[in-house]
Amino acid sequence: QSALSQPASVSGSPEQSITISCTGTSGDFGGSNFVSWYQQHPGIAPKLIIYDVSNRPSGVSDRFSGSKSGNTASLTISGLQAEDEADYYCTSYTTSSTLVFGGGTKVTVL
Amino acid sequence: QVQLMQSGAEVKKPGASVKVSCKASGDTFSIYYVHWVRQAPGEGLEWMGKINPTGSRTTYAQKFQGRVTMTRDTSTSTVYMELSSLRYDDTALYYCTGGRLKQWLADWGQGTLVTVSS
């Protein structure tokens, strides 16, 4: 199973909005909405920030939003802040009942 | 919410096996799917497999088929991941993670560093 495709890096200035894409095959996304996004700061375990395409767990800032169209999912961070500088990973639950990760995107706040 | 506590760091020789444990606290663990995810130094996250709440079904990534075994002891709320025929490129931080639904990685352990070295 190949990884989902994400840009290696995305950058933006404070208060700007950025979008990270996550592209796979129809088998990767399985026609379902089981796409999640994770934020990982250096040396710390990942944190779930979006589940089932567009839902935020309790306590996650509403500056994070998710969407999906066809075989591409997207994570948008609005009002970019210094604390958002981290690595971001998408996952999808596949038709084979496996999970597949994206390669990860490093977000830099300029 | 479930808290996941993993066993300590391991150093193994090539060809050996390693077994990492993940003990849960929290009353929802009985309906909890557990996944194992690893991260090599400086690399991204890699999914290895999952085990269902009763421990009766496992699903492994094709890459690890034949080398990984995940088991679950419901009496002690502990899940185990054993990886055999270790290679140098198995050196990584191994996380247990999971949630109430099979597609969720809502809670994470602290990670267990496995180093493969001669």
Side-chain angles (χ1 to χ4, degrees), chain B residues 34-48:
Chain B
V34 175
H35 301 246
W36 289 88
V37 172
R38 77 177 188 179
Q39 187 168 35
E43 301 294 324
L45 302 172
E46 181 175 34
W47 184 79
M48 299 181 68

Side-chain angles (χ1 to χ4, degrees), chain A residues 12-53:
Chain A
S13 300
E15 299 305 320
Q16 277 190 331
S17 292
I18 61 170
T19 297
I20 302 168
S21 62
C22 171
T23 302
T25 67
S26 57
D28 292 331
F29 288 107
S32 71
N33 289 327
F34 295 161
V35 176
S36 299
W37 290 89
Y38 299 84
Q39 176 193 60
Q40 186 180 33
H41 287 105
I44 300 175
K47 174 187 175 183
L48 176 65
I49 58 172
I50 295 287
Y51 66 92
D52 297 352
V53 175

Side-chain angles (χ1 to χ4, degrees), chain A residues 37 39 47 49-50 54-56 60-66 75-78 80 83-84 88:
Chain A
W37 290 89
Q39 176 193 60
K47 174 187 175 183
I49 58 172
I50 295 287
S54 59
N55 296 284
R56 281 186 307 276
V60 173
S61 171
D62 60 3
R63 297 186 298 102
F64 294 95
S65 62
L75 172 72
T76 297
I77 309 175
S78 305
L80 199 61
E83 68 213 44
D84 300 331
Y88 292 82

Side-chain angles (χ1 to χ4, degrees), chain A residues 34 38 40 52 93 97 99, chain B residues 39 47 50 102-103 105:
Chain A
F34 295 161
Y38 299 84
Q40 186 180 33
D52 297 352
Y93 194 81
S97 301
L99 273 180
Chain B
Q39 187 168 35
W47 184 79
K50 73 177 188 298
K102 58 184 184 291
Q103 72 272 24
L105 306 180

